[in-house]
């Protein structure tokens, strides 16, 4: 699972992307979209810890950035959030938890129940089920939808506090972490929420000119990649059975999978 960094992208002027990876924090790991696969998450975390322990002279604990989309689609959203909350309380790793567009959809449903059908069609049904809430019938009225919202809010309890506390991005040296990447024409510190959570059309077409590497999930790939200043780690865990992390070190990226 070794992927050498390829510097093949070219900007409009023909200059190749050549910025070396300099994460600034030594070794840092980035975990792709979990989508309720808490079983794969548990396995991957063990492999990350084994990998980190094998690094000679590595200080403890390892920094791990989670790129969002912990819920929906898979059947274990509740268990996944519980596992992440345990990590936040423990001391085995130093976690950074980012928000994904699916967490945003859930929070929007809790504020605006009329958005429920959109969220449910995109995996929210599985999250509701994981919290013991069933939808009955296909033509629920506003009062029924509001009741589902209220039941979910009560069932989530402290899990909701965790989701509301999620960050939008993380910087480490010349490496930028965000769920859906970043607009290549805008400085990373000026990205808007829509781009960070849902992506930008230009992200996959244009190489950044500022030497910033962008680590992201959201866009499912058959195999994780590190090229053109972009590191992609969403390997569709909920259907592929493969949850991926990137180990990012000065000048090097290696991939670990459950």
């Amino acid at each position: 699972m070794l992927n050498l960094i390829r510097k093949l992208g070219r900007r409009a002027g023909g200059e190749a992307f050549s910025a070396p990876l300099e994460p600034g924090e030594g070794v840092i790991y980035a975990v792709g979209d979990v989508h309720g696969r808490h079983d794969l998450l548990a396995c991957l975390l063990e492999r990350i810890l084994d990998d980190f322990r094998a690094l000679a002279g590595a200080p403890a604990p390892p920094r791990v950035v989670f790129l969002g989309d912990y819920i929906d689609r898979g059947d274990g959203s509740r268990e996944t959030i519980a596992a992440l909350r345990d990590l936040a309380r423990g001391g085995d790793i130093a976690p950074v938890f980012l928000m994904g567009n699916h967490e945003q959809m859930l929070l929007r449903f809790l504020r605006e129940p009329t958005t429920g059908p959109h969220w449910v069609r995109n995996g929210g049904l599985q999250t509701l089920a994981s919290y013991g809430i069933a939808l009955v019938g296909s033509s629920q009225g506003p009062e029924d939808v509001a009741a589902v919202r209220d039941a979910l809010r009560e069932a989530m309890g402290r899990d909701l506090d965790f989701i509301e506390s999620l960050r939008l991005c993380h910087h480490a040296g010349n490496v930028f972490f965000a769920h859906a990447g970043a607009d290549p024409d805008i400085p990373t510190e000026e990205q808007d929420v829509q781009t960070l959570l849902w992506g930008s059309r230009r992200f996959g077409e244009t190489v950044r000119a500022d030497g910033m590497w962008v680590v992201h999930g959201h866009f499912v790939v058959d195999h994780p990649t590190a090229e053109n200043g972009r590191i992609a780690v969403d390997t569709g865990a909920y259907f592929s059975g493969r949850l991926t992390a990137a180990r990012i070190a000065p000048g090097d990226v290696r991939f670990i999978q459950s």
Side-chain angles (χ1 to χ4, degrees):
M1 289 182 286
L2 168 65
N3 190 83
L4 295 177
I5 302 171
R6 292 172 288 172
K7 301 170 182 176
L8 305 178
R10 295 188 177 274
R11 299 194 282 273
E15 184 182 351
F17 184 88
S18 58
L21 265 173
E22 297 175 352
E25 299 181 8
V27 174
I28 187 167
Y29 297 83
V31 176
D33 304 30
V34 181
H35 277 308
R37 291 300 305 266
H38 65 97
D39 53 336
L40 299 179
L41 176 62
C43 178
L44 183 62
L45 289 173
E46 284 298 323
R47 294 185 178 181
I48 288 173
L49 287 171
D50 288 344
D51 180 80
F52 190 72
R53 294 182 189 115
L55 298 176
R63 173 74 67 187
V64 182
V65 179
F66 297 86
L67 293 168
D69 278 9
Y70 314 116
I71 62 171
D72 296 351
R73 304 196 189 282
D75 293 328
S77 292
R78 185 173 196 165
E79 294 86 351
T80 297
I81 297 301
L84 296 175
R85 290 183 61 204
D86 286 344
L87 285 177
R89 291 190 294 264
D92 290 337
I93 70 169
V96 175
F97 300 113
L98 302 187
M99 181 175 290
N101 62 305
H102 283 260
E103 286 78 42
Q104 185 195 52
M105 283 192 286
L106 180 149
L107 292 175
R108 187 179 179 192
F109 166 65
L110 293 175
R111 294 192 304 268
E112 306 171 38
T114 56
T115 65
H118 176 257
W119 176 52
V120 167
R121 288 194 301 270
N122 284 278
L125 183 65
Q126 287 79 13
T127 296
L128 288 170
S130 76
Y131 282 94
I133 300 167
L135 292 180
V136 180
S138 59
S139 58
Q140 296 188 340
E143 292 183 358
D144 299 314
V145 174
V148 170
R149 184 271 309 274
D150 294 343
L152 178 60
R153 187 186 295 277
E154 181 176 358
M156 291 192 71
R158 293 291 181 87
D159 288 356
L160 182 55
D161 295 337
F162 171 82
I163 290 177
E164 289 177 332
S165 73
L166 297 174
R167 298 169 53 178
L168 290 173
C169 60
H170 179 69
H171 279 92
N174 74 335
V175 185
F176 180 71
F177 302 81
H179 175 66
D183 187 323
D185 296 321
I186 298 175
T188 53
E189 63 273 14
E190 297 178 11
Q191 302 287 317
D192 64 34
V193 173
Q194 181 73 10
T195 296
L196 295 174
L197 298 184
W198 293 89
S200 163
R201 179 185 60 82
R202 293 180 57 78
F203 177 56
E205 301 175 354
T206 304
V207 176
R208 297 191 68 86
D210 58 4
M212 291 293 297
W213 283 81
V214 178
V215 186
H216 67 96
H218 189 66
F219 302 104
V220 177
V221 293
D222 291 332
H223 304 284
T225 59
E227 57 186 4
N228 304 343
R230 298 180 289 267
I231 300 174
V233 293
D234 181 4
T235 46
Y238 76 94
F239 67 86
S240 72
R242 292 180 292 113
L243 180 61
T244 299
R247 188 187 84 191
I248 302 164
D252 184 56
V253 178
R254 297 172 187 258
F255 296 108
I256 303 168
Q257 292 186 323
S258 57

